[in-house]
Each structure stands twice: as C-alpha cells, then as structure tokens.
Short mmCIF file of all heavy atoms in Angstrom, two decimals:
data_model
loop_
_atom_site.label_atom_id
_atom_site.label_comp_id
_atom_site.label_asym_id
_atom_site.label_seq_id
_atom_site.Cartn_x
_atom_site.Cartn_y
_atom_site.Cartn_z
N ALA A 1 0.83 -1.21 0.01
CA ALA A 1 0.00 0.00 -0.01
C ALA A 1 0.85 1.26 -0.01
O ALA A 1 2.03 1.22 0.41
CB ALA A 1 -0.90 0.01 1.22
N ASN A 2 0.27 2.34 -0.47
CA ASN A 2 0.95 3.63 -0.39
C ASN A 2 0.15 4.66 0.38
O ASN A 2 0.61 5.77 0.60
CB ASN A 2 1.32 4.16 -1.77
CG ASN A 2 0.10 4.38 -2.66
OD1 ASN A 2 -1.01 4.55 -2.18
ND2 ASN A 2 0.31 4.35 -3.96
N THR A 3 -1.07 4.29 0.80
CA THR A 3 -1.95 5.19 1.52
C THR A 3 -2.74 4.41 2.56
O THR A 3 -3.20 3.31 2.31
CB THR A 3 -2.97 5.88 0.57
OG1 THR A 3 -2.24 6.55 -0.47
CG2 THR A 3 -3.87 6.86 1.29
N ALA A 4 -2.89 5.02 3.74
CA ALA A 4 -3.75 4.46 4.78
C ALA A 4 -4.87 5.44 5.06
O ALA A 4 -4.64 6.66 5.14
CB ALA A 4 -2.97 4.22 6.07
N LEU A 5 -6.10 4.95 5.12
CA LEU A 5 -7.27 5.77 5.40
C LEU A 5 -7.79 5.41 6.79
O LEU A 5 -7.74 4.26 7.21
CB LEU A 5 -8.41 5.50 4.41
CG LEU A 5 -8.19 5.85 2.96
CD1 LEU A 5 -9.42 5.48 2.15
CD2 LEU A 5 -7.86 7.30 2.79
N ALA A 6 -8.32 6.43 7.47
CA ALA A 6 -8.90 6.18 8.77
C ALA A 6 -10.03 7.18 9.06
O ALA A 6 -9.95 8.32 8.64
CB ALA A 6 -7.84 6.29 9.86
N LEU A 7 -11.05 6.70 9.73
CA LEU A 7 -12.11 7.57 10.23
C LEU A 7 -11.90 7.68 11.72
O LEU A 7 -12.05 6.70 12.44
CB LEU A 7 -13.50 6.98 9.93
CG LEU A 7 -14.68 7.71 10.61
CD1 LEU A 7 -14.79 9.13 10.08
CD2 LEU A 7 -15.96 6.93 10.41
N MET A 8 -11.49 8.86 12.15
CA MET A 8 -11.19 9.05 13.57
C MET A 8 -11.54 10.47 14.00
O MET A 8 -11.74 11.34 13.15
CB MET A 8 -9.69 8.80 13.82
CG MET A 8 -9.31 7.36 13.63
SD MET A 8 -7.67 6.98 14.25
CE MET A 8 -6.65 7.83 13.06
N PRO A 9 -11.55 10.71 15.31
CA PRO A 9 -11.78 12.08 15.76
C PRO A 9 -10.71 13.01 15.18
O PRO A 9 -9.53 12.65 15.09
CB PRO A 9 -11.63 11.96 17.29
CG PRO A 9 -11.99 10.55 17.58
CD PRO A 9 -11.46 9.77 16.41
N ARG A 10 -11.14 14.19 14.80
CA ARG A 10 -10.21 15.16 14.20
C ARG A 10 -9.07 15.52 15.17
O ARG A 10 -7.98 15.84 14.72
CB ARG A 10 -10.96 16.43 13.79
CG ARG A 10 -11.91 16.15 12.62
CD ARG A 10 -12.61 17.38 12.16
NE ARG A 10 -11.65 18.13 11.31
CZ ARG A 10 -11.73 19.45 11.13
NH1 ARG A 10 -12.64 20.16 11.74
NH2 ARG A 10 -10.86 20.04 10.33
N SER A 11 -9.33 15.45 16.46
CA SER A 11 -8.28 15.78 17.42
C SER A 11 -7.09 14.84 17.31
O SER A 11 -5.96 15.26 17.54
CB SER A 11 -8.84 15.75 18.85
OG SER A 11 -9.34 14.46 19.16
N ILE A 12 -7.32 13.59 16.92
CA ILE A 12 -6.21 12.65 16.75
C ILE A 12 -5.38 13.03 15.54
O ILE A 12 -4.15 12.96 15.59
CB ILE A 12 -6.75 11.21 16.64
CG1 ILE A 12 -7.36 10.80 17.99
CG2 ILE A 12 -5.63 10.27 16.24
CD1 ILE A 12 -8.01 9.44 18.01
N TYR A 13 -6.02 13.52 14.48
CA TYR A 13 -5.24 13.95 13.32
C TYR A 13 -4.35 15.14 13.68
O TYR A 13 -3.21 15.26 13.18
CB TYR A 13 -6.14 14.30 12.14
CG TYR A 13 -6.89 13.09 11.59
CD1 TYR A 13 -8.22 13.14 11.30
CD2 TYR A 13 -6.20 11.91 11.36
CE1 TYR A 13 -8.90 12.06 10.79
CE2 TYR A 13 -6.88 10.79 10.85
CZ TYR A 13 -8.22 10.88 10.58
OH TYR A 13 -8.86 9.78 10.07
N ARG A 14 -4.84 16.02 14.53
CA ARG A 14 -3.99 17.15 14.97
C ARG A 14 -2.77 16.62 15.71
O ARG A 14 -1.68 17.13 15.56
CB ARG A 14 -4.81 18.13 15.81
CG ARG A 14 -5.78 18.95 14.97
CD ARG A 14 -6.40 20.09 15.76
NE ARG A 14 -7.36 19.64 16.77
CZ ARG A 14 -8.64 19.42 16.54
NH1 ARG A 14 -9.14 19.56 15.32
NH2 ARG A 14 -9.43 19.04 17.51
N ILE A 15 -2.98 15.60 16.54
CA ILE A 15 -1.84 14.99 17.26
C ILE A 15 -0.85 14.38 16.23
O ILE A 15 0.36 14.56 16.37
CB ILE A 15 -2.33 13.91 18.24
CG1 ILE A 15 -3.11 14.56 19.38
CG2 ILE A 15 -1.16 13.09 18.79
CD1 ILE A 15 -3.85 13.59 20.27
N PHE A 16 -1.38 13.67 15.24
CA PHE A 16 -0.51 13.07 14.22
C PHE A 16 0.35 14.13 13.55
O PHE A 16 1.55 13.99 13.38
CB PHE A 16 -1.31 12.35 13.14
CG PHE A 16 -1.95 11.05 13.55
CD1 PHE A 16 -2.72 10.37 12.68
CD2 PHE A 16 -1.76 10.54 14.83
CE1 PHE A 16 -3.32 9.17 13.04
CE2 PHE A 16 -2.38 9.34 15.20
CZ PHE A 16 -3.15 8.65 14.30
N ARG A 17 -0.29 15.25 13.18
CA ARG A 17 0.45 16.34 12.52
C ARG A 17 1.54 16.90 13.45
O ARG A 17 2.64 17.19 13.01
CB ARG A 17 -0.51 17.43 12.07
CG ARG A 17 -1.36 17.02 10.90
CD ARG A 17 -2.24 18.17 10.40
NE ARG A 17 -3.25 17.68 9.49
CZ ARG A 17 -4.54 17.55 9.78
NH1 ARG A 17 -5.00 17.90 10.96
NH2 ARG A 17 -5.38 17.09 8.89
N ARG A 18 1.18 17.03 14.72
CA ARG A 18 2.15 17.53 15.69
C ARG A 18 3.36 16.59 15.81
O ARG A 18 4.48 17.03 16.07
CB ARG A 18 1.46 17.67 17.04
CG ARG A 18 2.31 18.26 18.11
CD ARG A 18 1.50 18.57 19.34
NE ARG A 18 2.39 18.54 20.47
CZ ARG A 18 2.02 18.35 21.71
NH1 ARG A 18 0.75 18.18 21.98
NH2 ARG A 18 2.89 18.33 22.68
N LEU A 19 3.13 15.32 15.61
CA LEU A 19 4.18 14.31 15.64
C LEU A 19 4.96 14.21 14.32
O LEU A 19 5.88 13.42 14.20
CB LEU A 19 3.61 12.93 16.02
CG LEU A 19 3.06 12.83 17.43
CD1 LEU A 19 2.29 11.51 17.60
CD2 LEU A 19 4.17 12.92 18.46
N GLY A 20 4.54 15.00 13.33
CA GLY A 20 5.25 15.02 12.05
C GLY A 20 4.67 14.12 10.98
O GLY A 20 5.29 13.95 9.92
N PHE A 21 3.48 13.57 11.20
CA PHE A 21 2.83 12.72 10.21
C PHE A 21 1.84 13.57 9.42
O PHE A 21 1.01 14.28 10.00
CB PHE A 21 2.10 11.55 10.84
CG PHE A 21 2.97 10.65 11.64
CD1 PHE A 21 2.91 10.62 13.01
CD2 PHE A 21 3.90 9.83 11.01
CE1 PHE A 21 3.72 9.79 13.76
CE2 PHE A 21 4.73 9.00 11.74
CZ PHE A 21 4.64 8.98 13.11
N GLU A 22 1.94 13.54 8.08
CA GLU A 22 1.04 14.32 7.24
C GLU A 22 -0.27 13.56 7.05
O GLU A 22 -0.26 12.40 6.65
CB GLU A 22 1.69 14.58 5.88
CG GLU A 22 2.90 15.47 5.95
CD GLU A 22 2.54 16.88 6.42
OE1 GLU A 22 1.49 17.39 6.04
OE2 GLU A 22 3.37 17.45 7.17
N VAL A 23 -1.39 14.22 7.37
CA VAL A 23 -2.71 13.66 7.20
C VAL A 23 -3.55 14.64 6.43
O VAL A 23 -3.64 15.81 6.77
CB VAL A 23 -3.39 13.38 8.55
CG1 VAL A 23 -4.79 12.83 8.37
CG2 VAL A 23 -2.56 12.45 9.41
N GLU A 24 -4.16 14.16 5.33
CA GLU A 24 -5.07 14.98 4.54
C GLU A 24 -6.49 14.55 4.86
O GLU A 24 -6.83 13.37 4.69
CB GLU A 24 -4.80 14.78 3.06
CG GLU A 24 -5.77 15.52 2.15
CD GLU A 24 -5.64 15.14 0.70
OE1 GLU A 24 -4.72 14.40 0.33
OE2 GLU A 24 -6.47 15.60 -0.09
N GLU A 25 -7.29 15.48 5.34
CA GLU A 25 -8.69 15.15 5.62
C GLU A 25 -9.47 15.16 4.30
O GLU A 25 -9.29 16.02 3.46
CB GLU A 25 -9.29 16.15 6.60
CG GLU A 25 -8.69 15.94 7.99
CD GLU A 25 -9.31 16.85 9.04
OE1 GLU A 25 -10.47 17.31 8.85
OE2 GLU A 25 -8.64 17.08 10.04
N ILE A 26 -10.30 14.13 4.13
CA ILE A 26 -11.08 13.94 2.93
C ILE A 26 -12.54 14.14 3.25
O ILE A 26 -13.06 13.54 4.20
CB ILE A 26 -10.86 12.53 2.35
CG1 ILE A 26 -9.39 12.31 2.01
CG2 ILE A 26 -11.73 12.31 1.12
CD1 ILE A 26 -9.07 10.90 1.62
N GLY A 27 -13.23 14.94 2.46
CA GLY A 27 -14.65 15.15 2.69
C GLY A 27 -14.93 16.08 3.87
O GLY A 27 -14.04 16.72 4.41
N GLN A 28 -16.18 16.11 4.25
CA GLN A 28 -16.62 16.98 5.33
C GLN A 28 -16.60 16.23 6.66
O GLN A 28 -17.03 15.08 6.71
CB GLN A 28 -18.05 17.48 5.05
CG GLN A 28 -18.15 18.36 3.84
CD GLN A 28 -17.37 19.64 4.01
OE1 GLN A 28 -17.42 20.28 5.05
NE2 GLN A 28 -16.62 20.03 2.98
N PRO A 29 -16.14 16.89 7.73
CA PRO A 29 -16.22 16.25 9.04
C PRO A 29 -17.70 16.04 9.44
O PRO A 29 -18.58 16.75 8.97
CB PRO A 29 -15.56 17.26 9.96
CG PRO A 29 -14.80 18.18 9.08
CD PRO A 29 -15.51 18.18 7.77
N SER A 30 -17.91 15.08 10.32
CA SER A 30 -19.24 14.87 10.86
C SER A 30 -19.13 14.48 12.33
O SER A 30 -18.05 14.09 12.78
CB SER A 30 -19.99 13.77 10.07
OG SER A 30 -19.28 12.56 10.16
N PHE A 31 -20.23 14.60 13.02
CA PHE A 31 -20.23 14.28 14.44
C PHE A 31 -20.73 12.84 14.65
O PHE A 31 -21.75 12.46 14.10
CB PHE A 31 -21.10 15.28 15.22
CG PHE A 31 -20.41 16.59 15.42
CD1 PHE A 31 -20.51 17.58 14.47
CD2 PHE A 31 -19.64 16.82 16.55
CE1 PHE A 31 -19.86 18.79 14.63
CE2 PHE A 31 -18.96 18.02 16.71
CZ PHE A 31 -19.08 19.03 15.76
N ILE A 32 -20.00 12.10 15.45
CA ILE A 32 -20.38 10.76 15.84
C ILE A 32 -20.34 10.74 17.35
O ILE A 32 -19.29 10.99 17.97
CB ILE A 32 -19.43 9.68 15.25
CG1 ILE A 32 -19.42 9.77 13.73
CG2 ILE A 32 -19.80 8.30 15.76
CD1 ILE A 32 -18.39 8.88 13.06
N ASP A 33 -21.47 10.46 17.97
CA ASP A 33 -21.60 10.47 19.43
C ASP A 33 -21.06 11.78 20.04
O ASP A 33 -20.37 11.78 21.05
CB ASP A 33 -20.89 9.27 20.06
CG ASP A 33 -21.54 7.95 19.69
OD1 ASP A 33 -22.77 7.94 19.45
OD2 ASP A 33 -20.83 6.94 19.63
N GLY A 34 -21.33 12.90 19.35
CA GLY A 34 -20.93 14.19 19.85
C GLY A 34 -19.48 14.58 19.64
O GLY A 34 -19.04 15.64 20.10
N VAL A 35 -18.72 13.75 18.93
CA VAL A 35 -17.31 14.00 18.69
C VAL A 35 -17.10 14.20 17.19
O VAL A 35 -17.57 13.41 16.38
CB VAL A 35 -16.41 12.83 19.19
CG1 VAL A 35 -14.96 13.08 18.87
CG2 VAL A 35 -16.62 12.62 20.68
N GLU A 36 -16.39 15.28 16.82
CA GLU A 36 -16.17 15.56 15.42
C GLU A 36 -15.17 14.58 14.81
O GLU A 36 -14.04 14.47 15.32
CB GLU A 36 -15.68 16.99 15.24
CG GLU A 36 -15.70 17.45 13.80
CD GLU A 36 -15.37 18.93 13.67
OE1 GLU A 36 -14.58 19.46 14.47
OE2 GLU A 36 -15.88 19.53 12.73
N HIS A 37 -15.56 13.88 13.77
CA HIS A 37 -14.75 12.89 13.09
C HIS A 37 -14.52 13.31 11.64
O HIS A 37 -15.30 14.06 11.08
CB HIS A 37 -15.44 11.52 13.06
CG HIS A 37 -15.42 10.81 14.36
ND1 HIS A 37 -16.07 11.23 15.47
CD2 HIS A 37 -14.82 9.63 14.71
CE1 HIS A 37 -15.87 10.39 16.47
NE2 HIS A 37 -15.12 9.39 16.02
#
C-alpha cells in the first residue's frame, strides 16, 4: 500500500500532525456520538 485511510476524531489527526505525520482530511467532518470525526 501507499496510503492508509482512517475515520477518527479530528483531534487525533492534529496529534498526528504535531508528531510530524502528514494527514489529509477527505470530505466533510461529521459528528459521531458528539465528537467531530
């Protein structure tokens, strides 16, 4: 593979970026159980 996809809370992607991992969000965020994903 050359790409990994994940549906997760947006806050985790911010952590990934802070750790130096590039994450591109695809589509519109949505709320799942009150948490933005």
Side-chain angles (χ1 to χ4, degrees):
N2 60 23
T3 303
L5 296 179
L7 171 64
M8 292 192 289
R10 292 183 80 205
S11 60
I12 293 175
Y13 294 134
R14 286 190 290 274
I15 292 169
F16 287 178
R17 289 184 192 107
R18 184 172 154 202
L19 293 169
F21 300 109
E22 293 296 322
V23 178
E24 176 189 353
E25 290 184 23
I26 300 172
Q28 295 297 315
S30 60
F31 283 87
I32 300 173
D33 295 331
V35 177
E36 192 173 31
H37 284 66

